[in-house]
Structure formats: C-alpha cells, structure tokens
Amino acid sequence: MQMKAALFRSPSEPLSLEAVELADPREHEVRVKISAAGVCHSDYRVLAGEWNAVPPVVLGHEGTGVVESVGPGVASLVPGDTVVLSWTPSCGLCCYCASGRPQLCQVAAANAYRNVMPDGSTRIRSGAGEAVHSYLSVGSFAEYAVVPAYGAIKVGGDVDPGVASLVGCAVTTGVGAAINTHPAAPGDSVLVLGAGGVGLSVVMGARLQSPGKLIVVDLSVSKLALARELGATHTINARQEDVVEAVRDLTGERGVEVAYEAVGRAASVEQAYECLAPGGTAVVVGQVATGERISIDPMRMSGRELTLTGSNYGSGRPSIDFLRILDMHARGLLPLDRLIGDRVGLADLAEAFRAMGEGTTSGRVVVDIP
Ligand SMILES: NC(=O)c1ccc[n+]([C@@H]2O[C@H](COP(=O)([O-])OP(=O)(O)OC[C@H]3O[C@@H](n4cnc5c(N)ncnc54)[C@H](O)[C@@H]3O)[C@@H](O)[C@H]2O)c1
Ligand SMILES: [Zn+2]
Ligand SMILES: [Zn+2]
C-alpha cells in the first residue's frame, strides 16, 4: 500500500514527508494504522547526528494505532485491535526474556538497532526504490507501520491516542525507572534531573512511592512549574543555581537516597552521583550522545556505599506494564495527559525537533495522524 512517512536521510538534510510503499505484514508481523506518535529525545539524537541509525529511516518509536491486517501465524491480535507499539519486540526465548527481563532481549536489540524486522529485511520502499528502515523496529512517524506482533501490545480502545502513544516510550521509561528499576522507600529524598517527557514520568512514578523530598532540576521555568504540579516538593533551575550545592542545602548536607538522571548528559549523570547520601543510588535513565564519558570518584563509591545503575525502558515488561500504567492513569494515579504539550501533524515534525533542540517545548509533542 501507499502511505506518507517522514524520512530521515542525514543530519544535514531536513526530514522529508514522502509517499512510500509499505509491504503486507509477513509471518508474525502486523500492520498498524498509526493514530498518534510522541516525539522523544532519542529520535532527536539521530536527527542531530549524535546517534547512528541506518538511512533512509522512518523515525518515531513512540506510537499507538489500530491493527489493520495481520500476517500468517499471528494469534494474539486481530484487525481492529488498539495497540501501543514497543521498541523492544522481545523474542520470548533468549536468556533475558526467559529470566523476566524482556527489556534486555538480545534478539530485539540486534534487530531494533539495525532498524530492521526480525528476518533482517525492511518493509518500506521509497518512490525511488530504496529500502527504507524503521527506527527501533517501529517507525511511527508515518501513516502505517509494519511491526513484529510481539511489539504491538493490545490495550483498551478508550484512551486518548496521545496518552497511549507516550506509554510506548517516555512514560514506561520514566515511571518504570521509579517503580521497577530502583523504587525509593517511603520518606526517602529523591532527585530527578530533567523534566522532559521522561523526567516528568519519573516524577509521577516516584510520587507513588511516597517520598519525603522530591526535588526536580531543569533549565525551563515552565517545566519546573509543571513538575511542582505533578508532585515535586522542591525545584532547582540549573541555569541559576549550582545543582549539587542546592541539593545539599535542601537535604541538610546529607544528599538524596535516590537520584534519577533523565537529561542524557554526562555532566548530569555526574551531578546525580555527587548528590547521593551515603548508601544512595543514582539511576541513569537519560542516554548520552555517542562517545560521552563520565568521571566519578570511586573512593566515595566504596566509602559511602554508593550505587550507580542504569535503566532501559524502565526495566519494564511492555506486555504487562503498558496495561498496568494505563490502568493507573484511568484510576487517576498517573495524570499522563499533563505530559502533553503541542499536538501537531506529520508536516510539523521539523519544527517540533527544533523546539526540542532549543529546549522550548511546552511539554511532550504528540503527532496526531488522521
Ligand atoms: N533509558 C531509556 O530507555 C530511555 C528511553 C527514552 C529516552 N531516554 C533518554 O532520556 C533522556 C530524556 O528524554 P526526553 O524525551 O524526556 O527529553 P526531553 O528533551 O523531552 O527532556 C529533556 C529535559 O532536560 C532538560 N535539560 C537540558 N539540559 C539540562 C541541564 N543541564 N540540567 C537540567 N535539565 C536539563 C531540558 O530542559 C528538558 O526539559 C534522553 O537522553 C533520551 O534519549 C532513555
Ligand atoms: Zn524514546
Ligand atoms: Zn529475547
């Protein structure tokens, strides 16, 4: 079938909205009519040349839609099902899947990072006949996507597509870091660096743990205001204050028990670590530009028993967590709609990425795709 998709070719070329040919789903694949796609900083990394993807590629890995057709062997989905797309279409068989950590699936990682389907090929052709890749095996900045059936998680059809799309990355990543990877204990002081889609999701997840102080750092006055509405007890504007000093002041010189980094900068990871109280844990959620390195004092690590750990996709299991998170949203425990800023069309993506690069978005940008 013919469809429109936003193609990325190189950081020096603008995203190009083109008519492309999308194949039928093959064995264990489904074709999804995309209704909404969120704009994540991980797409921006590719666009800015900070991460590699295989061009030409349809970016977008946060998406929701309705199953249009299913390939042979798909028993779990039928046309008409509403799905949220997962960027770790886990195999169910490798040692990580078998041990309950599908977010680390070896098979999904190998395919997703090569931007291909599980059989190693692609499903999209440009007008000029080039094989077009799908970013992280999703490619949601398009009218349709063919994805592995394991990467399409069936959810109820009664949720705003904008909210559902964000569950595909920012929300599961952020909430999951706070409730799966390393939950704070009630009363703990918690620090969240970064109040974008991921960081504010960490805030919502951390709030469920009844923390003592919940301190949020960002550069944007409006994001910090939103963080306070979502449960932050204190905010620090990193443009105006030294983050480590400000956290020490707020915690009686002790530091925080848990710090989540959700910016994606080496310096912010170092700040998260520096802000820890003895026995504390820093969770690296943000993902830095390729090649960035951090520097920490290992003496402090041993002497104060500090832990530095990572969190991929919120240490989540999409087939369980997407539904669990949407249920918590429906019950008012996670006001996910508050994350959404502008709602735009596919033709407005370049502007959305420009705003993300300049840090001027008013919230998560959602692309509505009629
Ligand atoms: N671990 C995972 O599985 C995973 C999944 C998705 C995204 N990510 C990563 O998470 C990070 C955040 O993604 P996002 O989509 O929320 O990005 P975003 O652009 O929406 O938000 C980033 C926020 O950081 C703030 N910021 C920038 N510089 C800062 C500084 N020096 N100090 C404090 N705040 C600063 C910005 O103002 C912005 O509010 C990115 O690195 C992204 O690649 C990781
Ligand atoms: Zn993402
Ligand atoms: Zn696996």
Side-chain angles (χ1 to χ4, degrees):
M1 65 156 57
Q2 280 252 320
M3 66 160 183
K4 276 205 193 112
L7 266 56
F8 166 84
R9 288 197 164 79
S10 83
S12 56
E13 292 172 73
L15 278 182
S16 154
L17 195 54
E18 295 179 18
V20 295
E21 186 66 31
L22 179 66
D24 291 339
R26 294 190 190 166
E27 196 169 20
H28 302 304
E29 295 175 357
V30 297
R31 188 157 62 194
V32 177
K33 167 78 192 78
I34 305 289
S35 52
V39 179
C40 179
H41 209 103
S42 303
D43 300 302
Y44 176 83
R45 290 271 187 231
V46 175
L47 207 74
E50 296 170 346
W51 287 357
N52 287 329
V54 189
V57 59
V58 179
L59 295 178
H61 60 281
E62 207 172 59
T64 186
V66 174
V67 174
E68 178 262 350
S69 57
V70 304
V74 175
S76 55
L77 294 166
V78 295
D81 283 345
T82 299
V83 292
V84 172
L85 303 181
S86 153
W87 50 262
T88 57
S90 46
C91 74
L93 297 171
C94 74
C95 64
Y96 299 104
C97 286
S99 62
R101 303 179 82 183
Q103 79 279 14
L104 300 179
C105 174
Q106 287 170 304
V107 178
N111 298 327
Y113 296 137
R114 287 186 298 138
N115 311 145
V116 293
M117 290 294 122
D119 69 358
S121 63
T122 66
R123 298 288 167 273
I124 309 171
R125 295 232 157 242
S126 70
E130 308 152 281
V132 176
H133 298 79
S134 301
Y135 189 49
L136 298 179
S137 304
V138 177
S140 54
F141 295 155
E143 291 176 313
Y144 290 82
V146 169
V147 298
Y150 294 133
I153 311 302
K154 184 177 171 181
V155 298
D158 51 355
V159 61
D160 168 21
V163 166
S165 69
L166 304 193
V167 172
C169 185
V171 168
T172 296
T173 297
V175 172
I179 69 174
N180 297 329
T181 310
H182 188 83
D188 275 354
S189 290
V190 173
L191 173 67
V192 182
L193 290 137
V198 174
L200 290 175
S201 297
V202 176
V203 171
M204 285 192 252
R207 195 188 184 189
L208 296 176
Q209 310 302 130
S210 307
K213 293 195 169 73
L214 178 48
I215 306 165
V216 179
V217 182
D218 203 283
L219 304 173
S220 151
V221 173
S222 62
K223 298 250 177 77
L224 291 174
L226 182 52
R228 280 193 294 275
E229 288 171 28
L230 293 174
T233 58
H234 301 79
T235 53
I236 298 170
N237 189 327
R239 272 191 215 287
Q240 292 159 3
E241 293 184 73
D242 179 284
V243 172
V244 180
E245 267 178 34
V247 170
R248 298 233 163 260
D249 285 349
L250 286 171
T251 55
E253 295 305 313
R254 206 170 83 218
V256 296
E257 277 73 38
V258 193
Y260 300 94
E261 198 279 353
V263 181
R265 285 168 72 241
S268 298
V269 176
E270 290 168 355
Q271 284 173 342
Y273 179 81
E274 287 294 318
C275 288
L276 292 180
T281 298
V283 184
V284 181
V285 185
Q287 295 179 322
V288 303
T290 304
E292 277 194 40
R293 292 288 182 272
I294 57 166
S295 171
I296 56 169
D297 175 2
M299 187 60 198
R300 280 189 76 224
M301 187 175 244
S302 62
R304 300 187 190 185
E305 295 196 353
L306 305 182
T307 303
L308 181 62
T309 189
S311 178
N312 190 45
Y313 220 165
S315 309
R317 299 140 302 168
S319 56
I320 298 170
D321 287 290
F322 286 5
L323 293 160
R324 196 165 65 140
I325 284 169
L326 283 170
D327 180 56
M328 287 195 276
H329 169 64
R331 289 161 51 212
L333 294 170
L334 293 172
L336 305 179
D337 45 304
R338 303 296 311 280
L339 294 174
I340 299 176
D342 291 337
R343 299 189 77 138
V344 303
L346 278 173
D348 306 311
L349 268 171
E351 170 58 22
F353 280 119
R354 193 194 56 71
M356 179 172 264
E358 291 176 1
T360 53
T361 51
S362 60
R364 195 69 155 189
V365 176
V366 168
V367 184
D368 286 305
I369 306 170

